[in-house]
Amino acid sequence: MRLYDTATRRVEDIVPSSSGVLRVYSCGPTVYRDAHVGNLRTFLLTDLVSRTAEHEGLQVRVVQNITDVGHMADDSDLEVEGEDKVLAQAGAEGRGPLEIARHYEDAFHRDLARLNIRPATLSPRASESIELMLALVSRLVDQGHAYVGGDGSVFYDAQSFPGYGQLSGNRLDQLRPGHRLEEGVDDSKRFHADWALWKRAGERRQLVWDSPWGPGFPGWHIECSAMSLHHLGETIDVHTGGIDLRFPHHEDERAQSDAAVGHSVVRHWVHGEHLLFEGRKMAKSAGNVVLLQHVVDRGYDPLSLRLAFLGTRYRTQTDLSWAALAAADQQLRRWRGRVAGWAEHPSRPMPDELVAEAVAAFRTDLDTPRALQVLRRIEKDDGIPEGARFEAFAHLDRLLGLDLVREVGQVRTLPPGATALLAQRAAARTAKDWPESDRLRDELLALGVAVTDTSDGQSWSLSGG
């Protein structure tokens, strides 16, 4: 398998550091809101890496963190200031911060399941990994890479790490202080580009822990260093994330981890590009944030979103639209119907050359558009026996993850209790009791029944479809 490495700026061979095992760290969500479809595209990247590696016979160990503390509203700047995102949302919704975090964490995992994105091997929570972070901060202080600043917070000394900027291309002598500092310098730091590893609590009373430096809470960047080193060791084969995390998050994470262990921890940094929706960046202020549930509410199979994503390469900025999703949904349903028809014919050997071409596309920097082109050729080539086309689609779906054989011999039997819940939901919709309708939909989804609302009423499917 070959992937584009952000650090080297070229496509690299991915060779596991340990024979037969690929270690992957995936930057997970900050659980203060629902993940939008742009976020989900990034998490699909890790799934495609894993499926391709497993097809090559590798065992894949994926660690994906859950950030439920420490991510500040202004972490994209050079200064770690502002309000914790989880605490801010807790205040807005009138609920406890960990209640908010668990609610959105559960929603995140449900969305991944509906997109056939396999769960990580391990999903550690930041709030449950504080001791790991304190140990790593202490280690960096002892090594001279971190210091206690004037405000009692612990900062990383960016100038102590000679390789800073190699991932993002930023140079320390070109970085400028954050816009919130009137004088341009934070006198609690030695250097304006230093960042907080541990923040003094001050007046904050929630999500606060004791530490050798007094009550406080972790900085966002130290979380990933602590959890990745603990759960994957000092060598990580592939680190994935969205391109927006390249700086400062991944640049800072890299400096912390490498300084702590004395060598490069991550062998390959792989980033997914931005997603636009109908020509614009998704933003709450613009009112164009699209969730997976919005896709389902329009009557589309959630895996039509996955298929739409597969139509462009992960490292290409993509402009998604409702028209594209409608086309993907139509294609997905057509393919499933054709696969079900081919399944009625005797099994025949796959068209090896075409299947090998599709697999090679995945191996070559996840060239999913090319792989889909091969599927279309197999579909349209009447010279390939129906049984052979079935075997090819079924085999390649291990990489695609589109449930293409879903309609083959499917027995549409509802689990116990689902029939009554569907009737209750239909009544709720008739009464226009939308909150109750949503609650019942979630209850049905927990039973493995996905409900879609159409102009003809509600329909359902099994296994997340």
Side-chain angles (χ1 to χ4, degrees), residues 262-331:
H263 62 77
S264 294
V265 173
V266 175
R267 303 178 75 203
H268 302 287
W269 294 87
V270 180
H271 291 97
E273 257 293 352
H274 290 295
L275 178 76
L276 304 178
F277 197 88
E278 298 194 330
R280 296 186 300 163
K281 181 180 178 181
M282 280 185 290
K284 186 176 180 181
S285 58
N288 69 334
V289 173
V290 179
L291 308 180
L292 180 58
Q293 189 57 49
H294 296 153
V295 175
V296 174
D297 287 344
R298 290 212 175 197
Y300 302 139
D301 188 303
L303 290 178
S304 64
L305 178 63
R306 184 179 178 111
L307 178 56
F309 287 157
L310 294 174
T312 57
R313 217 172 199 161
Y314 73 93
R315 59 184 176 96
T316 301
Q317 182 169 286
T318 301
D319 189 0
L320 189 63
S321 67
W322 288 117
L325 282 167
D329 187 71
Q330 184 179 26
Q331 179 175 333

Side-chain angles (χ1 to χ4, degrees), residues 348-357 378 384-385 388-389 391-392:
R348 299 288 297 276
M350 292 186 297
D352 290 339
E353 289 187 8
L354 288 173
V355 170
E357 184 179 343
I378 295 172
I384 301 174
R389 282 189 273 186
E391 297 295 346

